[in-house]
Amino acid sequence: YKELAKYYDLIYSEKDYRKETQEIVKIIKKYKKSSGNELLEVACGTGEYLKYLKKHYQCVGMDINKMMLKVGKKKNPDIPLYHKNMLHFDLNKKFDIILCLFSSIGYVKTYSNLKKTIKNFSYHLKNGGILIIDPWVLKGEYKKRSSHMKTYTDKKIKFAELTFSGIKNNLSILDIHYLIAEKDKPIKHFVDRHELGLFEASQIVTC
């Protein structure tokens, strides 16, 4: 999503971040045992979840993509955002809540990296704190070959996103083509490849 960062929120305009945040808050209230209110969102992207989470918690965000963070900072100038890799970040701080949402954990790719990442999450978590991971498609549920398309349009921009999904060993491979037509500008064509590790639920839980 390097060149596509500024279009990212349009690509996922149908996603109900507000409603999902309400569900996340319910889970946190049910299971968190620590007394603090400090939250870290790993792989925060453009900060759309943080826009709603900051109403409930003292938030910090981090992401590996500088362009996504730039968009996120415009939305959330009051939240510290860090350019970090979830595999080996060190914020020298512990949190009551750590979130890794929207399938971002899949980008660690391998089980070895998954263990390292969750160990690092644990290092940054207070006693009694809660870690919530929203997984990528589980290995047993992934369709080996499929394609789909979605579109968006308004008065200033129209785009189409076409995705072809494949698999190689324990990696899901997504080749995504974007056609973007902005008003009074030439049509742009981007191709993005995403490689995400395929894990079983038991692998995540037992790390």
Side-chain angles (χ1 to χ4, degrees):
Y1 293 119
K2 292 178 182 178
E3 296 142 304
L4 290 159
K6 66 178 181 178
Y7 305 108
Y8 182 87
D9 290 331
L10 296 180
I11 294 168
Y12 293 105
S13 58
E14 81 287 354
K15 186 173 174 64
D16 195 339
Y17 288 90
R18 184 193 299 271
K19 184 177 180 180
E20 289 183 25
T21 299
Q22 291 172 348
E23 294 303 313
I24 290 166
V25 170
K26 289 179 184 178
I27 293 170
I28 292 170
K29 286 181 177 179
K30 183 175 181 179
Y31 293 104
K32 184 175 75 70
K33 303 301 180 185
S34 63
S35 58
N37 203 37
E38 294 179 290
L39 180 148
L40 168 65
E41 186 187 358
V42 177
C44 65
T46 62
E48 194 67 13
Y49 281 115
L50 289 172
K51 191 169 72 175
Y52 300 105
L53 288 164
K54 67 184 179 183
K55 298 175 184 178
H56 304 274
Y57 309 106
Q58 184 179 341
C59 294
V60 172
M62 54 165 273
D63 200 279
I64 198 170
N65 188 317
K66 287 183 178 180
M67 297 304 294
M68 299 280 269
L69 288 172
K70 186 177 180 180
V71 176
K73 196 63 182 177
K74 288 181 181 179
K75 289 184 200 174
N76 303 293
D78 51 334
I79 295 178
L81 299 179
Y82 298 97
H83 179 231
K84 301 284 184 182
N85 187 321
M86 70 174 86
L87 262 171
H88 45 65
F89 72 96
D90 185 358
L91 296 180
N92 195 30
K93 181 179 177 64
K94 292 184 183 291
F95 298 86
D96 301 278
I97 306 140
I98 297 178
L99 306 178
C100 186
L101 304 173
F102 207 178
S103 305
S104 300
I105 196 68
Y107 287 102
V108 302
K109 295 187 180 181
T110 68
Y111 182 59
S112 174
N113 283 344
L114 179 67
K115 289 195 292 183
K116 289 178 185 176
T117 301
I118 294 181
K119 183 178 180 181
N120 202 15
F121 289 168
S122 178
Y123 173 78
H124 285 83
L125 196 65
K126 294 179 185 178
N127 289 334
I130 180 172
L131 166 64
I132 299 176
I133 296 175
D134 179 14
W136 175 231
V137 181
L138 298 178
K139 186 175 181 180
E141 299 173 359
Y142 185 77
K143 294 181 180 179
K144 291 185 178 181
R145 290 187 179 274
S146 64
S147 58
H148 67 270
M149 181 179 76
K150 61 181 177 181
T151 60
Y152 175 89
T153 184
D154 62 29
K155 292 181 179 179
K156 294 183 178 181
I157 188 170
K158 302 177 189 297
F159 72 71
E161 177 196 88
L162 293 93
T163 303
F164 180 78
S165 304
I167 187 169
K168 183 178 180 180
N169 298 323
N170 289 318
L171 282 179
S172 56
I173 312 293
L174 284 74
D175 287 316
I176 310 177
H177 291 249
Y178 298 92
L179 281 175
I180 301 171
E182 295 184 78
K183 188 177 181 181
D184 300 325
K185 293 182 181 180
I187 293 175
K188 298 176 184 177
H189 176 218
F190 295 104
V191 181
D192 234 10
R193 168 164 281 201
H194 295 255
E195 298 181 355
L196 295 93
L198 292 169
F199 308 113
E200 297 293 2
S202 59
Q203 289 180 298
I204 299 174
V205 172
T206 58
C207 278

